[in-house]
Amino acid sequence: SSSSSSSSSSSSSSAPQTWESMVASLSEAVQETSNENEGKKASGANRVNGTNDEGAVAVAGTAPVEPTSPLLGPTAKGGGKEEVKEEIDGEGGEGEKGGEGGKDGEDGEDGRLVEDENKEEGVASLSTWIAWVQAAGGCTVLLAQVYFLASDRFCYVSCEWWLAQWTQAAESAVTLSLAPLGDFDMPSQADGRDAQWVWFRAYIILIFFSLVFCFARTEWGIISGNTASTVLFTRLTHRVVHAPMSYFDTTPLGRTLTRFTFDTENLDFALPQKASLALISVGWFLAGLGVMVGVMPLMILVMLPVTYLYYRTQLFYRRAAVDLQRLDAVSRSPLQAVLAEGIDGQATIRAFGQTKGFAQVMRERLDDNTAAVMASQAANRWMGMRLDLCGVAISTTAALLVCLTRDFIGLWLGPIIGPV
């Protein structure tokens, strides 16, 4: 019994020791396994990242490259830079050569994905104006605008003519010969208020119709321009929305923003206004030419050379002004692209310390656009001065002819000079 009790006590005392040893050995095994796994992960990461145990960049078959700034790129020790370049060219040479054919065929000989923005040359073609008129409504809109403009000029000339006849009736009655309506005997102004009211009533009617047609041609021009702008903007939006992804890959963001901002603004405001002013100027020129030649036939001797001078001047100006406006539009796209990139990537620019460099690029783009705008404004001032000189020549010549040929014309030059 004593032997059995001793054996049981010895077995009970050895059991805890065996359990503790098993737990300890198991813990050691788990720790070794975890250490081995971490070592394998670290070595695998070094192979993926291209770094060795010392933290230097390594490429197969080249010298280790020290890590440097991500903006400047890695530099190798002991001539490793050339070896790295040769290794990279050797690995990617086949892919680049295989893709050169497609790039040369699609993107140009230099293989660039984004090409420079091209601009037209010379004055705007007739097809451009025809497309704009068709977008505004076609020939109906153009003919209506011409009708309102001609009626406005006719009422304006009629008002001036009526004032001239009213002045001639200061002392005696006059007879007005209107071919379509017949002859009308108008009273003298010396007959009292009733006679004055007859003249004034007809003048008020002419002023009313002049205001109506002036409002009609202005409002019609605004409505037509708004219609053309809406149609062209709808076409632009449809083309861009349905464009393939290659368009967005090869077109800078600034170029697209320019189409939807600056060009759309010109369609909404500048183009309708300038087109309306062009038609109005033509109407004023024809009406003024007809009145001056009708009153003083000798003015034709001055109007012909001045008209030719006007034509040559505007032809020279248009060729330069159109190209300057195109330079403004082309230089505006890179400016808007840099601005959009700066707003979207400001965190990245600051993180890499490229604020000064990016600001310098922005200033260069701004200087390019400002130079184009200043050149365009200078061309406008150049044209304006020459038009003023031509206008002064016509006004001076007309005044001299009136004074020199007053006996032939038979004008009333006022109470100082008296009738002629």
Side-chain angles (χ1 to χ4, degrees):
S1 60
S2 62
S3 61
S4 61
S5 61
S6 61
S7 62
S8 61
S9 62
S10 62
S11 62
S12 61
S13 62
S14 62
Q17 294 178 358
T18 305
W19 178 256
E20 292 176 357
S21 62
M22 292 176 61
V23 172
S25 62
L26 182 60
S27 300
E28 293 176 358
V30 171
Q31 185 67 26
E32 293 177 358
T33 304
S34 62
N35 293 335
E36 292 178 358
N37 292 334
E38 290 179 359
K40 291 180 180 180
K41 290 181 179 180
S43 62
N46 290 335
R47 288 194 299 271
V48 172
N49 296 328
T51 59
N52 53 19
D53 296 337
E54 297 178 356
V57 179
V59 180
T62 63
V65 182
E66 294 295 334
T68 58
S69 171
L71 298 177
L72 301 178
T75 56
K77 293 181 179 180
K81 183 175 180 180
E82 291 77 5
E83 297 179 1
V84 172
K85 185 177 183 302
E86 292 177 358
E87 184 70 20
I88 295 175
D89 293 341
E91 292 178 357
E94 296 180 358
E96 292 179 357
K97 292 180 180 179
E100 283 180 358
K103 288 184 178 180
D104 291 344
E106 297 176 0
D107 303 323
E109 297 180 356
D110 54 358
R112 291 187 301 170
L113 187 62
V114 178
E115 295 293 335
D116 296 335
E117 185 176 3
N118 297 324
K119 65 180 184 67
E120 299 292 336
E121 295 182 358
V123 298
S125 60
L126 182 61
S127 60
T128 303
W129 290 103
I130 292 176
W132 186 76
V133 171
Q134 289 178 350
C139 295
T140 304
V141 173
L142 182 60
L143 292 177
Q145 181 70 15
V146 172
Y147 169 75
F148 290 140
L149 181 61
S151 301
D152 171 48
R153 291 295 91 196
F154 175 78
C155 292
Y156 174 79
V157 174
S158 298
C159 290
E160 299 295 328
W161 176 81
W162 189 260
L163 287 176
Q165 300 299 323
W166 192 355
T167 304
Q168 290 183 0
E171 300 294 338
S172 61
V174 296
T175 301
L176 303 180
S177 298
L178 302 177
L181 303 177
D183 297 336
F184 294 89
D185 294 328
M186 302 300 295
S188 173
Q189 298 186 36
D191 295 341
R193 293 182 178 273
D194 293 336
Q196 293 286 349
W197 172 247
V198 174
W199 289 96
F200 184 71
R201 180 176 56 191
Y203 183 71
I204 288 297
I205 294 175
L206 291 176
I207 287 292
F208 173 77
F209 280 105
S210 178
L211 291 176
V212 169
F213 286 116
C214 180
F215 175 80
R217 55 98 170 161
T218 304
E219 189 67 18
W220 190 259
I222 294 174
I223 294 175
S224 303
N226 188 22
T227 302
S229 176
T230 302
V231 171
L232 295 176
F233 182 79
T234 303
R235 294 177 183 175
L236 172 63
T237 306
H238 182 271
R239 292 286 183 87
V240 173
V241 170
H242 294 82
M245 289 304 299
S246 59
Y247 169 80
F248 299 97
D249 294 336
T250 57
T251 304
L253 179 60
R255 199 174 300 175
T256 305
L257 288 177
T258 302
R259 298 297 177 268
F260 281 95
T261 54
F262 181 72
D263 293 346
T264 303
E265 180 184 0
N266 287 333
L267 285 176
D268 291 338
F269 301 103
L271 188 57
Q273 180 182 7
K274 291 182 178 181
S276 180
L277 289 177
L279 291 177
I280 293 172
S281 299
V282 172
W284 285 347
F285 173 76
L286 295 178
L289 180 63
V291 170
M292 285 189 293
V293 173
V295 175
M296 292 179 293
L298 293 177
M299 281 294 298
I300 194 67
L301 300 178
V302 180
M303 293 301 299
L304 287 179
V306 172
T307 301
Y308 177 75
L309 183 60
Y310 267 122
Y311 172 75
R312 296 295 301 178
T313 304
Q314 67 86 24
L315 188 62
F316 180 79
Y317 166 76
R318 285 182 61 200
R319 291 174 179 174
V322 173
D323 286 337
L324 290 175
Q325 291 176 357
R326 287 169 178 160
L327 288 176
D328 178 22
V330 171
S331 62
R332 193 179 297 269
S333 299
L335 176 61
Q336 292 186 349
V338 172
L339 180 61
E341 292 170 359
I343 294 175
D344 295 337
Q346 55 180 336
T348 305
I349 295 172
R350 292 176 180 175
F352 286 98
Q354 294 298 310
T355 304
K356 294 183 179 179
F358 199 86
Q360 180 63 27
V361 173
M362 183 68 182
R363 284 192 292 267
E364 292 176 357
R365 300 292 186 273
L366 187 61
D367 290 341
D368 294 339
N369 181 252
T370 304
V373 174
M374 292 296 295
S376 179
Q377 294 295 328
N380 291 336
R381 294 300 89 210
W382 181 90
M383 183 64 177
M385 181 172 24
R386 279 150 182 81
L387 292 180
D388 292 340
L389 291 176
C390 292
V392 169
I394 294 176
S395 301
T396 304
T397 304
L400 290 175
L401 288 178
V402 167
C403 295
L404 296 176
T405 61
R406 61 182 183 271
D407 296 335
F408 174 77
I409 300 175
L411 295 178
W412 171 267
L413 300 182
I416 298 178
I417 301 178
V420 294

